[in-house]
Amino acid sequence: MDRSNDKRDSRQKTSGGRGGAAYGTGKGQGDRRERAARPAKYASNGRPAARTQFSEPVPGAVIGRNAVRELLKSGRTIDKLLVRRGDREGSIVVLVAEAVNRGIPVVEVDAAKLDDMSGGGNHQGVLAMAAEKEYTDVDSMLAMAAERGEKPLLVIADGIEDPWNLGALIRCAECAGAHGVIIPKRGAVGLTPAVTKASAGAIEHMPVAKVANIAATVEDLKKKGVWVFASEAGGVDFYDVDFDVPAAIVFGSEGDGIARLVREKSDYTISIPMYGQVNSLNVSTAASVILTRAARMQRSGKKL
């Protein structure tokens, strides 16, 4: 695409202002999770268990019924399926049947074992041990869009440290039909089991690239005809933005927002207008608003 065309009108100007993330300052976010302390629901005496300190889930663990279902659908190699002893109700029956059909070992374990392996997360009685998800590269994402005959829609996560926020962001990207999520190698969370759990299985269908330098990646995308939008406070109203272009949308960290150099290299800074007393949204909430609008404009050609 010729980047010199007039796809963007005079309303779309980069704002030099910065007021932290356009969707959350890291203080009082409504959906931040208690990551370190995740207690088992009940103690052995049947009473609510005391709060216990848990670590991250074991590497390779995919936790929860939705996440395991999407893992089975993805075709990725699964070493074994662990289910809570005596639990053969509801969707677990379907998951076990699919695992048996594919020749995947199914092992019954005590609830305490699942609690420990899941880091105290809500495993819902099932956990799969899978080969680690492989990262892809940005060129493969662009090639995927070309093969589908679609304009690229990429998501750049600049320094997101909370695994639950990254997982939710990946889920938003997948629901919007994005072609990939780009994360940095350093200074941010990677594809941990907690990210997989938070994505509710969406990570199995979403290519993720890990790059050495987000600012350099932005420059490279621009050379390849992709327009880069930084989502941050102080930008132009995103309702006035034409997303019907090859697009990459940057979402910043929970506290610091988008790095200054990344914002300066982006084509435009965009913001969601706030009308209430609270002036920010969580990163995944903001992503759901912006990405669904961008996807609709790309697919329908409707400008506003």
Side-chain angles (χ1 to χ4, degrees):
M1 175 180 173
D2 182 3
R3 292 179 58 84
S4 64
N5 67 14
D6 59 355
K7 262 292 181 185
R8 303 175 183 186
D9 60 29
S10 60
R11 292 173 297 180
Q12 295 172 252
K13 297 179 180 179
T14 304
S15 167
R18 175 167 180 162
Y23 35 78
T25 61
K27 298 177 181 178
Q29 294 181 26
D31 66 349
R32 287 182 65 86
R33 313 299 176 90
E34 296 177 349
R35 300 182 299 282
R38 297 178 185 278
K41 189 173 182 182
Y42 295 102
S44 58
N45 60 6
R47 296 179 180 179
R51 184 171 295 277
T52 306
Q53 192 76 9
F54 288 97
S55 60
E56 274 279 307
V58 297
V62 175
I63 306 158
R65 301 185 186 191
N66 287 337
V68 171
R69 181 180 65 247
E70 296 304 325
L71 174 66
L72 288 165
K73 287 167 57 179
S74 75
R76 186 148 62 99
T77 300
I78 302 174
D79 295 329
K80 58 185 175 181
L81 188 71
L82 284 74
V83 297
R84 185 166 46 209
R85 196 179 308 280
D87 195 342
R88 286 293 188 274
E89 298 179 355
S91 58
I92 284 187
V93 176
V94 178
L95 298 177
V96 169
E98 177 63 22
V100 171
N101 186 53
R102 288 181 49 184
I104 299 168
V106 178
V107 182
E108 284 195 345
V109 297
D110 293 334
K113 177 73 170 178
L114 290 178
D115 292 340
D116 183 60
M117 294 184 69
S118 65
N122 182 19
H123 49 71
Q124 300 172 304
V126 63
L127 179 152
M129 294 301 300
E132 292 292 335
K133 178 179 174 65
E134 294 185 2
Y135 290 99
T136 186
D137 56 68
V138 177
D139 285 340
S140 296
M141 297 174 180
L142 298 176
M144 177 197 297
E147 290 170 3
R148 295 178 179 177
E150 300 170 350
K151 297 181 180 69
L153 178 59
L154 305 180
V155 176
I156 301 176
D158 182 26
I160 294 177
E161 299 176 342
D162 187 317
W164 300 96
N165 280 341
L166 180 60
L169 178 64
I170 290 172
R171 184 177 185 180
C172 293
E174 205 287 323
C175 289
H179 301 99
V181 174
I182 301 169
I183 63 176
K185 287 184 177 179
R186 292 176 294 276
V189 67
L191 297 184
T192 66
V195 171
T196 300
K197 170 65 175 174
S199 78
I203 198 170
E204 304 301 335
H205 310 289
M206 177 54 54
V208 179
K210 184 181 280 190
V211 300
N213 188 293
I214 293 291
T217 300
V218 167
E219 285 279 20
D220 188 53
L221 285 170
K222 289 165 65 176
K223 292 175 182 177
K224 294 176 179 177
V226 178
W227 297 85
V228 182
F229 303 85
S231 175
E232 183 115 306
V236 66
D237 188 331
F238 90 113
Y239 284 111
D240 294 331
V241 174
D242 181 3
F243 289 111
D244 189 20
V245 293
I249 304 175
V250 188
F251 299 94
S253 69
E254 297 85 351
D256 297 328
I258 297 170
R260 178 187 58 80
L261 186 58
V262 173
R263 189 178 74 256
E264 290 176 352
K265 289 182 177 294
S266 299
D267 291 300
Y268 301 104
T269 299
I270 60 174
S271 300
I272 301 172
M274 300 284 107
Y275 303 111
Q277 298 300 311
V278 177
N279 64 357
S280 62
L281 296 171
N282 176 271
V283 58
S284 60
T285 304
S288 66
V289 174
I290 294 174
L291 289 174
T292 51
R293 179 170 176 79
R296 179 177 181 271
M297 294 179 76
Q298 283 190 345
R299 293 167 186 267
S300 69
K302 295 181 179 180
K303 305 305 178 187
L304 298 173

